[in-house]
Amino acid sequence: MAESKRRGEDAGDERLDDDATVDGVADDDATDADEPVSRGGTATRKRAPADSTEGRKTRRDTERIGLFARIARFFREVVAELRKVIWPTRKELLTYTAVVVTFVAVMLAIVAGLDYGFAEAVLWVFGNPS
């Protein structure tokens, strides 16, 4: 078994039928719009119809919302967005951290070397003031 089955691959799955159609449309085309795009995603191919102007809030409606209600709504929306985030695993986090620390160390060495070199060049050109 050299092949490993990745998520999303359905090779060798007997439950799927390649010839399945729904109203003359292939099964995979009919269900693509309902399937999540990525892990945790809910985007679809079809765009929702635009809301009518009756459902939109006017400026007068938004002025009635108090300061604390707006702050509470802000925090609810922040929490909702943070739930959508795909957080890295511990292994990924350690890898990313190692890459950043290594890059910073290399850049520090380059800048320190240039600084030392330019300082020596200036002293050589203008002489030692002592």
Side-chain angles (χ1 to χ4, degrees):
M1 283 237 163
E3 291 183 25
S4 65
K5 200 173 193 184
R6 287 187 250 159
R7 185 187 339 183
E9 288 185 2
D10 47 32
D13 196 353
E14 290 90 22
R15 293 179 293 153
L16 297 176
D17 185 12
D18 290 339
D19 297 330
T21 59
V22 177
D23 296 331
V25 178
D27 186 37
D28 58 342
D29 292 336
T31 58
D32 277 347
D34 299 329
E35 293 178 6
V37 174
S38 63
R39 62 180 181 174
T42 58
T44 60
R45 288 184 182 197
K46 294 181 182 177
R47 188 173 229 172
D51 293 335
S52 65
T53 56
E54 296 171 4
R56 294 184 184 162
K57 291 186 177 181
T58 62
R59 185 175 182 166
R60 192 173 6 161
D61 293 339
T62 58
E63 289 177 0
R64 294 180 187 166
I65 298 175
L67 174 67
F68 293 111
R70 284 185 282 166
I71 292 172
R73 187 173 108 198
F74 171 77
F75 283 112
R76 278 195 311 270
E77 290 176 3
V78 167
V79 169
E81 289 298 320
L82 286 175
R83 287 185 180 156
K84 294 178 187 177
V85 173
I86 299 174
W87 297 99
T89 63
R90 183 176 181 86
K91 183 179 178 182
E92 291 172 337
L93 186 64
L94 290 174
T95 301
Y96 298 154
T97 303
V99 167
V100 169
V101 169
T102 303
F103 177 76
V104 169
V106 168
M107 292 307 294
L108 180 100
I110 291 171
V111 170
L114 288 173
D115 182 49
Y116 180 77
F118 284 128
E120 289 295 318
V122 166
L123 288 177
W124 180 75
V125 169
F126 295 110
N128 204 353
S130 55

